[in-house]
Amino acid sequence: MTSFVNTFYDASAKYFYTNSDHQIQAAHAYGPNGGLYTDFWWEAQLWETVMDAYQRTGSSTYRTMIDDIYTGFNAKYTNMVANQFNDDLGWWALACLRAYEITGTQEYLNRGSFLFDHVYASWDTTYYGGGIWWRTDAQNPAISTNAQKNIATNAPMVMTAIKLKNAYNNASYLTKAQQIYSWIQTKLVNGSKVNDHMEGTGAGIVKDWDFTYNYGTYLGAATALYMATGTASYLTDANNAATYVIDKMTSATTLLYEGENDAPGFKMIFARNLNQLRTQASQSQYLGFLQQNATQAWKFTSFQTAGLPILIPTSTSSQLLSLD
């Protein structure tokens, strides 16, 4: 983690660089300063990585970074809801509420609650019987090819709603969590398979793309509901999703390559939530798998120590912090 921070973190900007050489790459030039710094949803994941480190070490350095990164992000994005992607906003809602749980800082609860309400306002039953739209500017598939309802938007909102239920002791958030989860289960889950999204007019069509973060967010949502309700079916759902990935999306027990740029971060989300399933729901059967993948990530980053010219994907390094 120290090497990761030394390589990627700009303490003056209170923000993470996109690339280890601190150069802008056209392939992913989406973040602040023309892509010098990580974009919206990447920074949310890296903020959570710092929280991972703080919870495991109790280091005052990481505790300070939790507050600093929030400040740095808000300096770059002065109006978060100008972002039209509900999944991006959802990652920050979830991260803010985790930061509140760790620190007790009221600002994080206020921001997480505000962002949840903003995203949940895109819940709609006109198409596909429910679900939250992916984008605030694309909610009619008859006129926009970007109109879709996906796992990446809906499943994190289940976890966020449970955190709000716990923070406010307000059962209405549990109702919303179960409402969103029920829609996911009905429309996007087929047995152990978690599909990516629905699109199109009328009843819509399901896109069955497999990504690890879809399974990770789904099993995270199921775990959160299991912990909140004790209902065994949620635990079954979480284990089914975890088993699917381990059986079908690995090579020699190592999570598969899924592409460049955004895609490597998918595995970080899967690993973090799988570890929560292991620790919170006492599912010890995943420890060996997680340790094996942590070992693979560690071996990869060791090339950097040897001085070889390899750019460390942010998600690979941060994935290490998802494991006990």
Side-chain angles (χ1 to χ4, degrees), residues 92-223:
W92 272 92
L94 182 60
C96 281
L97 291 167
R98 184 180 178 197
Y100 169 72
E101 291 174 343
I102 292 170
T103 69
T105 302
Q106 187 68 31
E107 166 64 16
Y108 298 142
L109 176 59
N110 294 345
R111 180 64 65 91
S113 176
F114 168 77
L115 290 173
F116 175 85
D117 290 343
H118 178 83
V119 173
Y120 185 76
S122 291
W123 172 272
D124 161 72
T125 57
T126 303
Y127 289 94
Y128 323 142
I132 299 170
W133 289 106
W134 176 41
R135 297 173 57 145
T136 57
D137 64 341
Q139 302 190 358
N140 185 344
I143 61 176
S144 175
T145 57
N146 288 320
Q148 62 168 261
K149 296 176 180 179
N150 56 32
I151 285 285
T153 302
N154 284 270
M157 286 297 93
V158 176
M159 292 182 275
T160 303
I162 294 300
K163 289 183 182 297
L164 286 168
K165 177 257 183 189
N166 294 338
Y168 288 121
N169 193 25
N170 184 337
S172 69
Y173 289 110
L174 175 59
T175 299
K176 289 177 180 177
Q178 291 174 315
Q179 174 197 46
I180 299 167
Y181 186 87
S182 178
W183 179 82
I184 292 170
Q185 192 72 8
T186 302
K187 298 295 184 179
L188 292 177
V189 176
N190 181 10
S192 297
K193 191 177 186 332
V194 180
N195 297 307
D196 188 76
H197 72 270
M198 292 193 71
E199 63 180 32
T201 57
I205 59 173
V206 174
K207 291 293 185 178
D208 63 352
W209 309 335
D210 273 350
F211 291 118
T212 50
Y213 83 148
N214 286 339
Y215 290 87
T217 52
Y218 171 74
L219 71 84
T223 301

Side-chain angles (χ1 to χ4, degrees), residues 295-317:
T295 299
Q296 290 295 325
W298 182 254
K299 286 180 178 178
F300 180 82
T301 58
S302 68
F303 283 107
Q304 188 72 10
T305 305
L308 298 178
I310 295 175
L311 297 183
I312 307 172
T314 55
S315 54
T316 302
S317 293

Side-chain angles (χ1 to χ4, degrees), residues 261-316:
N261 298 312
D262 282 346
F266 296 172
K267 290 183 284 294
M268 171 177 61
I269 293 165
F270 175 79
R272 177 178 288 128
N273 288 326
L274 182 64
N275 195 52
Q276 289 178 353
L277 172 61
R278 179 184 73 85
T279 58
Q280 294 176 9
S282 302
Q283 300 299 293
S284 60
Q285 66 266 33
Y286 302 117
L287 178 59
F289 174 80
L290 288 165
Q291 289 174 326
Q292 288 166 345
N293 279 268
T295 299
Q296 290 295 325
W298 182 254
K299 286 180 178 178
F300 180 82
T301 58
S302 68
F303 283 107
Q304 188 72 10
T305 305
L308 298 178
I310 295 175
L311 297 183
I312 307 172
T314 55
S315 54
T316 302

